[in-house]
C-alpha cells in the first residue's frame, strides 16, 4: 500500500471513529430525553391526564403482547421486568380507569387475560399522533430524501441494537 493510500485509509478511519462518537453522544442525549418520557407526558396531557407513566408502560405492554396472543398479568410483568404483584396492581388500576378489561382465557378457562378497551386504543392513537406531530415538526425543513434515508437507517440501527440486546440479555 502506498503512503498516500495509507494516509487516506487512516483519515477515513479517523472520520469513522468521530462519526461513531457522534452517534454515541446522540444516543446519550436521546436516552435522557426518553427517560424524561417527553412523548408520553405530552400524550397524557392531551388525552389521559389521570394516567401515570407506569400505566403507559402497561398499556404498551398489553398492546404489544396482544399482537401474538392472549395477555396475562405474568406476561405483562415479564415484558416490564417487574414482579407479578406490581403488574397486577397496575392492571387493576387500569381496569378501574376503564383502559383495560379482564376476561377469561379462551385457551384455558382457569386463566385471566387482559384486553385493551376502546378508551385505551383512543389514548394510543393520541400518543401516536403526538409522536407524529413532534417528528414532523423536527424534520419539517428536511428534504424528503433525507427523511427517507434517516427513517431507513434509524430503523436498521434500532433493529440491530435490539437484536444484540436480546442476544446478550441476562
Amino acid at each position: 500500500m502506498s503512503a498516500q493510500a495509507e494516509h487516506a485509509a487512516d483519515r477515513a478511519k479517523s472520520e469513522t471513529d468521530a462519526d461513531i462518537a457522534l452517534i454515541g453522544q446522540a444516543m446519550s442525549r436521546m436516552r435522557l430525553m426518553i427517560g424524561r418520557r417527553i412523548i408520553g407526558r405530552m400524550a397524557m396531557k392531551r388525552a389521559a391526564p389521570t394516567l401515570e407513566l407506569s400505566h403507559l408502560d402497561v398499556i404498551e405492554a398489553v398492546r404489544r403482547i396482544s399482537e401474538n396472543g392472549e395477555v396475562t398479568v405474568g406476561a405483562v410483568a415479564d415484558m416490564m421486568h417487574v414482579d407479578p404483584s406490581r403488574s397486577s396492581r397496575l392492571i387493576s388500576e387500569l381496569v378501574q380507569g376503564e383502559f383495560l378489561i379482564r376476561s377469561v382465557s379462551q385457551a384455558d378457562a382457569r386463566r385471566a387475560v387482559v384486553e385493551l378497551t376502546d378508551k385505551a386504543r383512543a389514548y394510543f392513537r393520541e400518543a401516536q399522533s403526538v409522536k407524529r406531530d413532534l417528528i414532523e415538526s423536527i424534520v419539517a425543513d428536511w428534504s424528503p430524501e433525507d427523511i427517507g434515508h434517516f427513517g431507513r437507517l434509524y430503523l436498521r440501527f434500532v433493529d440491530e441494537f435490539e437484536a444484540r440486546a436480546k442476544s446478550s440479555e441476562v
Side-chain angles (χ1 to χ4, degrees):
M1 180 184 287
S2 72
Q4 188 178 16
E6 194 171 303
H7 178 69
D10 287 346
R11 189 174 62 240
K13 173 152 179 27
S14 178
E15 288 173 7
T16 298
D17 288 347
D19 290 340
I20 288 172
L22 287 174
I23 292 168
Q25 290 169 8
M27 287 174 65
S28 294
R29 290 172 53 204
M30 190 68 163
R31 183 190 59 77
L32 291 172
M33 287 185 287
I34 288 171
R36 291 179 34 219
R37 309 288 296 272
I38 293 168
I39 294 170
R41 289 178 192 278
M42 290 169 67
M44 283 177 11
K45 187 175 180 180
R46 275 177 36 178
T50 61
L51 291 181
E52 296 177 14
L53 290 170
S54 54
H55 293 135
L56 302 183
D57 295 334
V58 174
I59 290 170
E60 177 62 14
V62 171
R63 188 193 67 76
R64 290 181 63 196
I65 295 165
S66 68
E67 292 173 354
N68 298 314
E70 294 181 328
V71 182
T72 63
V73 170
V76 171
D78 288 345
M79 180 170 273
M80 291 179 56
H81 302 289
V82 298
D83 62 89
S85 64
R86 171 94 172 118
S87 174
S88 182
R89 272 193 309 279
L90 290 167
I91 287 170
S92 292
E93 291 168 5
L94 288 166
V95 167
Q96 189 173 17
E98 299 178 348
F99 286 91
L100 299 176
I101 57 171
R102 287 185 198 261
S103 59
V104 176
S105 167
Q106 298 301 304
D108 180 352
R110 297 170 293 171
R111 193 172 58 197
V113 293
V114 183
E115 298 173 45
L116 297 174
T117 63
D118 289 339
K119 185 176 180 179
R121 286 192 259 308
Y123 166 76
F124 186 73
R125 284 190 301 276
E126 183 63 26
Q128 292 301 95
S129 175
V130 166
K131 186 184 298 184
R132 183 176 180 85
D133 292 349
L134 180 60
I135 293 168
E136 283 179 346
S137 71
I138 292 167
V139 301
D141 62 347
W142 294 18
S143 72
E145 293 80 18
D146 283 351
I147 294 169
H149 290 306
F150 180 76
R152 286 185 295 281
L153 289 172
Y154 190 60
L155 181 61
R156 181 174 154 197
F157 181 84
V158 171
D159 285 347
E160 186 63 27
F161 193 104
E162 187 175 45
R164 289 179 189 241
K166 284 180 181 175
S167 70
S168 67
E169 279 186 345
V170 248

